[in-house]
Amino acid sequence: MSTIREIEDRHISILSELDELGQFDYLIDLGVKEGRDSAVEKPCFRIEGCKTNIWLKAEQNVIRASSDSLVVLGLLSIIRQMYLGRSRSEIESNPIRFLSSVSEHVVYSEIRENGIKKVYAKIISEDFR
Amino acid sequence: MSDNLRSDFPFFSNNPALVYLDNAATTQKVQCVIDAMVDHMTKDNSNIGRSLYPLSSNAEKKVEDARLTAARFINASKEEIIFTKGSTEALNIVSSSVCAENADKGKNVVISVLEHSSNYAPWLRDCKKHNLILRIAENEDDLISFIDENTAIVSVTGMSNVTGFMPDIGRICGYAKQKGALSCIDASQLAAHRSIDVKDIGCDYLCFSSHKLYGPEGVGVLYSKQQDMSHLVPLCLGGGAVDSSYCTKEGHPGFEAGTQNIASIIGFERALKYLIRNYNHIKDTENELSRYLYRKMSELKGFSLVCSEPSLICSFTSSFLSSHDLGVLLGNKGICVRTGSCCAHSLVRKISEGGICRVSLSFYNTKDDIDALISQLEEAQKRYGGSL
């Protein structure tokens, strides 16, 4: 099984090679493959404060997420690949780095600050093994 | 479209590849506005109202000239013009004042679901604070039916910033008057596209912002019918707004505390004069562009229009990409549109949970701009439309 860092580095390597439209397509493709998880699209799982809908259920080593944005679903796909099945200490030791390889014209500060940062905070606040 | 008017805006020669279709958010600045502001700051800068030297009195004269121009722009008198930071501040003044005056009297306030947050949030806060009932109408007929003898004020937009819909504000204000209620018009969008006559409309208050009228940010107008200014209470006090006994001055000076945004007021005046000078041409051009946009958008597959007729503000949703993703895609193709709720949360939630994509036109746009948008939307449909 690859480490969190190895998985993230693979994505960083790909994203770093792409221009902005390439990154957009890459995240859209990941988002399409990930697909929406309508079961978590409930108010109680919504990440508050983000203009784009993001829902996250993270408990007992399960991470389920959804969004109406395919770009955001792509980001959530990478996060799930990185953290699913990992211990809390592993997740805490490996905060999200790949966003620095994505153009701020593809993932805007709104999504970074009010979306993905809160997703990570919620994941590490849950009672993981 | 008149290339000559477009060439009055240096933004376009500096950004020849960009297609700017977000004019409901803010407009580009006309060269004469920029020149007037630079001229003031480089040659005539001084504070107003506190000094006796010619430089200061000249600046003061320019501000008062701007007040007169703003008054003429809406057929008011200059004593009825309060300079504010913009429509948001203006609506907050009206809301906080009218609600405080009618506190705990069983009164109500009527607004519509079309309202921008600036004409929604203050009423929500102030009605709660002062114990008034807030009635939010879904449509114009509902709105009329909500107005009764206990209505303190009706506050509505003159043009929706999401749909471009223009309620019959003359009818609404007339009905409010019949029932003894005040009326307030948020003309933030309307003022850029239609000539306004406050006497014809019959409103008590009306506001608009400079930056949506080709002028600078940070300044706007609150019109108050002279006899209704006594209902208003300034949001802040300070230099210029109080006399030597610290009593609030009467009329517009009482609402303009602190050093005013003089350069922006001067720039604003130039923008208003530019609009007045070109109004007929602007209206014709914008009507033609809105018809063209509506026809082209209606022919697209995979997109649903929010409006049902040509409008300068054309919002839509996509069946295959969220408004966020579409906005990012178009942005990276050099096309500037607005996405999300456009600060009209209640309305947009009813249209689409994921928000909308908004195209808003100005007279300086061209059919080529619209063609570029349509081409990118067609390409997006081909590329992503089949993937879901």
Side-chain angles (χ1 to χ4, degrees), chain B residues 9 16 22 89 100 106 123 146 193 200 205 250 265 279 334 372:
Chain B
F9 294 79
D22 195 17
E89 185 187 25
W123 299 108
F146 283 178
H193 307 295
D200 273 358
Y205 308 110
E250 286 190 2
I265 290 172
Y279 239 136

Side-chain angles (χ1 to χ4, degrees), chain B residues 31-45 62 263-264 266-267:
Chain B
Q31 185 65 55
C32 63
V33 167
I34 299 164
D35 291 343
M37 293 176 73
V38 171
D39 209 47
H40 171 75
M41 288 188 283
T42 53
K43 295 176 188 164
D44 303 324
N45 181 53
K62 285 184 185 173
S264 286
I266 290 167

Side-chain angles (χ1 to χ4, degrees), chain B residues 112-146:
Chain B
S112 84
V113 75
L114 296 176
E115 306 311 318
H116 185 281
S117 293
S118 296
N119 197 29
Y120 204 114
W123 299 108
L124 271 179
R125 176 198 61 193
D126 295 325
C127 283
K128 189 175 177 189
K129 184 177 174 186
H130 297 294
N131 198 23
L132 282 83
I133 298 159
L134 182 60
R135 296 175 171 173
I136 303 165
E138 297 276 331
N139 56 53
E140 195 173 311
D141 287 339
D142 272 359
L143 190 133
I144 292 286
S145 72
F146 283 178

Side-chain angles (χ1 to χ4, degrees), chain A:
Chain A
M1 186 183 183
S2 302
T3 64
I4 293 177
R5 194 176 186 89
E6 285 167 347
I7 294 169
E8 189 171 35
D9 281 346
R10 278 203 292 275
H11 288 291
I12 289 173
S13 171
I14 295 166
L15 287 162
S16 303
E17 293 293 312
L18 297 169
D19 63 10
E20 286 165 339
L21 285 169
Q23 290 181 347
F24 179 84
D25 278 344
Y26 182 67
L27 291 171
I28 289 273
D29 285 344
L30 285 175
V32 169
K33 284 176 193 147
E34 180 79 359
R36 289 177 73 157
D37 185 346
S38 56
V40 297
E41 293 183 5
K42 295 175 179 169
C44 58
F45 298 128
R46 193 173 185 280
I47 300 292
E48 291 299 329
C50 188
K51 287 178 184 168
T52 298
N53 284 318
I54 302 177
W55 297 272
L56 178 77
K57 184 181 181 185
E59 58 188 19
Q60 295 175 345
N61 222 25
V62 173
I63 301 174
R64 294 177 67 176
S66 195
S67 174
D68 48 19
S69 157
L70 286 173
V71 168
V72 174
L73 267 183
L75 300 173
L76 294 171
S77 167
I78 297 174
I79 291 169
R80 272 169 42 84
Q81 289 172 35
M82 288 165 58
Y83 296 145
L84 198 60
R86 310 289 180 174
S87 69
R88 183 180 183 147
S89 63
E90 280 179 287
I91 296 171
E92 281 181 326
S93 314
N94 289 280
I96 292 169
R97 294 178 297 120
F98 73 88
L99 277 177
S100 59
S101 303
V102 182
S103 166
E104 296 200 347
H105 295 152
V106 175
V107 177
Y108 282 81
S109 58
E110 158 71 10
I111 301 289
R112 292 168 195 259
E113 296 300 317
N114 292 324
I116 301 305
K117 200 178 261 187
K118 289 182 180 176
V119 164
Y120 180 72
K122 191 172 176 187
I123 289 171
I124 57 173
S125 73
E126 296 296 336
D127 188 21
F128 274 73
R129 277 188 280 129

Side-chain angles (χ1 to χ4, degrees), chain B residues 170-205:
Chain B
R171 177 188 174 218
I172 292 166
C173 293
Y175 197 76
K177 193 174 179 182
Q178 271 181 38
K179 295 288 180 182
L182 296 166
S183 56
C184 176
I185 301 299
D186 173 5
S188 303
Q189 299 297 334
L190 185 71
H193 307 295
R194 296 287 183 270
S195 60
I196 290 174
D197 184 329
V198 288
K199 292 188 174 65
D200 273 358
I201 297 168
C203 56
D204 296 284
Y205 308 110

Side-chain angles (χ1 to χ4, degrees), chain B residues 242-370:
Chain B
V242 294
D243 62 20
S244 56
S245 305
Y246 299 104
C247 293
T248 308
K249 288 181 182 172
E250 286 190 2
H252 62 76
F255 294 87
E256 296 171 1
T259 297
Q260 295 300 288
N261 195 346
I262 299 167
S264 286
I265 290 172
I266 290 167
F268 185 21
E269 191 209 18
R270 292 301 172 94
L272 292 175
K273 282 184 168 170
Y274 183 88
L275 273 175
I276 293 167
R277 198 165 58 241
N278 293 296
Y279 239 136
N280 288 337
H281 181 71
I282 286 170
K283 198 174 170 186
D284 290 346
T285 306
E286 289 185 340
N287 284 342
E288 188 181 341
L289 285 171
S290 60
R291 283 195 297 270
Y292 186 71
L293 174 67
Y294 183 75
R295 181 166 64 78
K296 296 294 243 180
M297 287 295 302
S298 301
E299 290 166 2
L300 281 179
K301 290 192 177 77
F303 299 92
S304 301
L305 293 183
V306 172
C307 55
S308 55
E309 57 186 28
S311 168
L312 289 160
I313 298 173
C314 181
S315 296
F316 59 94
T317 57
S318 151
S319 61
F320 52 91
L321 283 180
S322 71
S323 68
H324 168 272
D325 295 349
L326 205 49
V328 171
L329 178 65
L330 291 172
N332 280 291
K333 299 278 190 179
I335 295 175
C336 309
V337 299
R338 199 71 157 187
T339 59
S341 68
C342 301
C343 291
H345 305 290
S346 293
L347 176 62
V348 171
R349 246 194 313 269
K350 286 176 188 296
I351 297 166
S352 165
E353 272 296 326
I356 48 103
C357 203
R358 180 186 74 187
V359 174
S360 50
L361 297 168
S362 162
F363 60 88
Y364 51 50
N365 287 123
T366 63
K367 287 183 178 175
D368 286 346
D369 289 342
I370 295 170

